[in-house]
Amino acid sequence: MGERLAGRQVSLWVATAGVTTYPSLDSDLEVDVAVVGGGLAGLTAALALKRAGQTVAVLEAARIGTGVTGHTTGKVTSLHRLVYTELADRHGPDVAGRYGQANQAAIEHIARIVAEEGIDCDFRRVSNYTYAESDDALARVRDEAGLAARLGLPAAFTSDVPLPFAVRGAVRLDGQAQLHAVKYLQGLARAVDGAGSHVLEDSRVTSVRDGVPGVVETGHGTVRAREVIVATNVPVGDAGLFAERCYLHRSYLVACPAPAAPLNGTFISVDEPMRSILAIDVDGSRYVLTGGEGHRATETADAAARYRRLAAFSRERLGTGEASFRWSTQDTMPVDGLPYAGTLTPTAAHLHVITGLRKWGLTNGTAAALILADTLSGRHNPWAAVFDTNRKHTSSTGQAGGKRPQLDQAAQLPQPEQPTVAGLRPGDGAVVEIDGEMTAVYADPAGDLLAVSAICTHLGCTVAFNADDSTWDCPCHGSRFAADGAVIQGPAAENLAPRPAPR
Ligand SMILES: Cc1cc2nc3c(=O)[nH]c(=O)nc-3n(C[C@H](O)[C@H](O)[C@H](O)COP(=O)(O)OP(=O)(O)OC[C@H]3O[C@@H](n4cnc5c(N)ncnc54)[C@H](O)[C@@H]3O)c2cc1C
Ligand code: FES
């Protein structure tokens, strides 16, 4: 065991927002639109539809703000590192420009909602910077600044970057923002609930069915709706095979007490290792968040070492104290670089999905939600084609209509030594074979053993223990389960089955 890590393992946003207590679905309900998932995408879509005169029901498996959005960095920006160069190369400048416009419109939408709904979420306008330290990165930020400006974004190259360490230059985008992600979600939920619309927590959806009406099932009730939106980050059940078009990417964050002088802006590096930086005052304390250390969720990770590297960067380059909070989360990355908002499958009529928000979902998720709100209200949306779920796509193997790619990667993972239950210390977990079945065994802090099936309920891969988060993670498509087997994040929709505790 290494030295203990500094800080609480909980996101700053979750730790400082309080908890919502909406009821769960315990009977049948009829509304105009059912929204599955109470994260940024689902709640934004729900509120836009309610404001357009529809009744909505948001079904959230856990509590508002406990998903990916509750673990974000909090930047509200159209400058996604070097996204315009990337998208213009792959899809042409027109698509890159429309991606930028959709994100700019999303920032203004968030600002408007914060003001009109009176959401107290530390929303603050800032400039956002993509900065360069090496010669190569400098050339790339110059190119990105020029391209983004030509595409109509408020972008410029600058060598005046307000960081406490020297950099060569940056793309600067003005009029961007940052916010407290969970307080924002809780404000959206407050605005959605009431007047014939509902926010329902602790209401995990087990199936969605297209039709007239569309049908959404939980274990305790059914919602019938004219239209259904699946906004569970990784689509529940994955009828649209998004696991082939997206992969899950995890990153880590530390929040450290900040020096007195505030950082004036939000920042991300071009050079590796990538570092993402944001400063925020919460409840009278000032923190600097540093994110990075990303990797595919299908790869093994030494989370403790990653947190240590982030904390060292924060101390040494940003002058902060030790980490007060640390957390990690993962988001869906579209292989072709563009988010998805549209029908869940090519033949679906009333079943829609939002996914593939590429780790920039505060704006991409808002834009995607507004696209669906327009579509469902019969309005034209200028960016719908860019986010279209039925566009020609490349699978994550790089082949059209490819096979399940990450299964192959999983097969290449090194096989650890055969663990035994006897060797488990409190807080440890291991997959062991018991009576011919692969069983995931966790020793709780008191040393009592908890056993569940180790077979992922998505497509049957064997889960592995993530010691830092005390979760069972699937190496194939990134599903995550709590120590007791409850699904945290899909594509799996069902919990790991309980097994008798070994003795
Ligand atoms: C480390 C990191 C940092 C990031 N930083 C930024 C940033 O600074 N700016 C930015 O724009 N983006 C950022 N992102 C991306 C952004 O946070 C996400 O794209 C966005 O929050 C995703 O929103 P969502 O609504 O899709 O997902 P979520 O917030 O996860 O919402 C989905 C909800 O669905 C619920 N759910 C799941 N299954 C079911 C079910 N079966 N039934 C009912 N409910 C269900 C979940 O509990 C969850 O609450 C970051 C991502 C990562 C990984
Ligand atoms: S996430 Fe697909 S098999 Fe586990």
Side-chain angles (χ1 to χ4, degrees), residues 456 458-461 474 476-479 491:
C456 176
H458 177 224
L459 289 176
C461 290
C474 181
C476 289
H477 313 100
S479 288

Side-chain angles (χ1 to χ4, degrees), residues 36-42 59-63 65-77 80 185 203-206 231-234 236 249-253 276 278 328-331 354 357-364 488-490 493:
V36 186
L40 186 288
L59 294 115
E60 164 55 43
R63 294 279 158 203
T66 53
V68 182
T69 312
H71 298 82
T72 188
T73 315
K75 296 177 179 175
V76 180
T77 180
H80 303 163
L185 285 195
S203 301
R204 178 170 293 281
V205 168
T206 48
T232 48
N233 192 257
V234 178
V236 56
H249 208 261
R250 187 176 308 168
S251 287
Y252 300 75
L253 282 142
S276 178
L278 169 145
S328 76
T329 190
Q330 56 196 38
D331 201 7
I354 294 171
L357 300 179
R358 60 168 295 163
K359 284 189 169 176
W360 292 104
L362 299 188
T363 48
N364 272 331
I488 298 172
Q489 198 174 7

